[in-house]
Amino acid sequence: MALHSSTATLRQTLLSPWSFFADRSPRSGVGFGVVALVAVAHVLVVFVGLLLVGVRVATLDDGVGVGQAVSAVAGEVLGASLVLGVLVFVNWLLVSAVLHVPAKVAHGWGTFGDTLFVVARSSPVALLVPVATVAATLLAVGEAGSAEAAARQLGSLRGAVGGASALAVVAVLLWQGVIWVAGLERTHDMDGGQATAAVAVTVLLGLVVALGA
């Protein structure tokens, strides 16, 4: 029952954000629990995905078993995955701070806690980025005949993998932007034009930073 309720809430947030925020006024908390779950999901997606890539590449060489490959790759992959999990929290705070400034300039009445809540509820969308990146990386490994050949192939297709990640970033920011507009309208008592303007500034800054990195 709890899982069904959580799934329904997530679906409402992502697909009907105006009704979601209308049903939650005043808000409840700042969304830390949602961001924590998203951070864990990021860690799992990246860990499993990169582990599969690493094991696939290592076992292309004769004499390298799956167990040996897992032992060699797991530690490094786990470290990278945990760092990404921490960055989910950092991103939540930074994006909320950036969004809150134009919201206040546009005469939004909400608190920073309201902005944290709005951004937190949109955070599940960000899972599209690691999923797309891992999927593109797995496809890039292809059918190379050796670990060395697979590494070269990954290097030569780095642009394609980066392109898939960039497209996912754009899709995520635009989708989150729609959720932010709905959230600002309700939690900051802003009209549609004010909320859209505040969100547009944040989305454009996000695109510049993400695609320029």
Side-chain angles (χ1 to χ4, degrees):
M1 188 68 179
L3 179 60
H4 175 74
S5 177
S6 298
T7 302
T9 300
L10 177 62
R11 184 169 60 249
Q12 184 187 30
T13 308
L14 302 183
L15 302 180
S16 304
W18 276 269
S19 65
F20 170 81
F21 288 107
D23 291 344
R24 284 157 183 80
S25 182
R27 62 173 171 78
S28 176
V30 297
F32 179 86
V34 175
V35 178
L37 289 175
V38 172
V40 171
H42 269 76
V43 170
L44 291 176
V45 168
V46 174
F47 176 73
V48 172
L50 293 183
L51 187 63
L52 288 173
V53 171
V55 170
R56 166 64 178 158
V57 171
T59 54
L60 287 172
D61 284 341
D62 294 337
V64 178
V66 173
Q68 184 181 355
V70 169
S71 299
V73 173
E76 182 177 348
V77 169
L78 179 60
S81 304
L82 292 175
V83 168
L84 183 59
V86 173
L87 289 178
V88 170
F89 283 99
V90 174
N91 182 72
W92 171 46
L93 297 174
L94 288 177
V95 170
S96 297
V98 171
L99 179 60
H100 191 67
V101 172
K104 298 305 287 185
V105 170
H107 308 295
W109 290 98
T111 65
F112 184 54
D114 292 319
T115 308
L116 285 170
F117 176 72
V118 170
V119 175
R121 299 309 310 199
S122 73
S123 60
V125 180
L127 282 167
L128 286 174
V129 176
V131 168
T133 304
V134 167
T137 305
L138 283 170
L139 291 173
V141 174
E143 297 298 327
S146 67
E148 182 180 354
R152 287 198 304 270
Q153 189 165 305
L154 280 170
S156 65
L157 293 175
R158 184 172 298 174
V161 173
S165 299
L167 287 175
V169 167
V170 172
V172 164
L173 281 171
L174 293 177
W175 193 350
Q176 287 183 325
V178 173
I179 298 172
W180 296 343
V181 170
L184 291 183
E185 285 184 19
R186 190 67 182 182
T187 64
H188 286 253
D189 195 24
M190 303 170 72
D191 64 37
Q194 292 172 326
T196 301
V199 168
V201 170
T202 306
V203 169
L204 288 174
L205 285 174
L207 288 173
V208 169
V209 171
L211 301 182

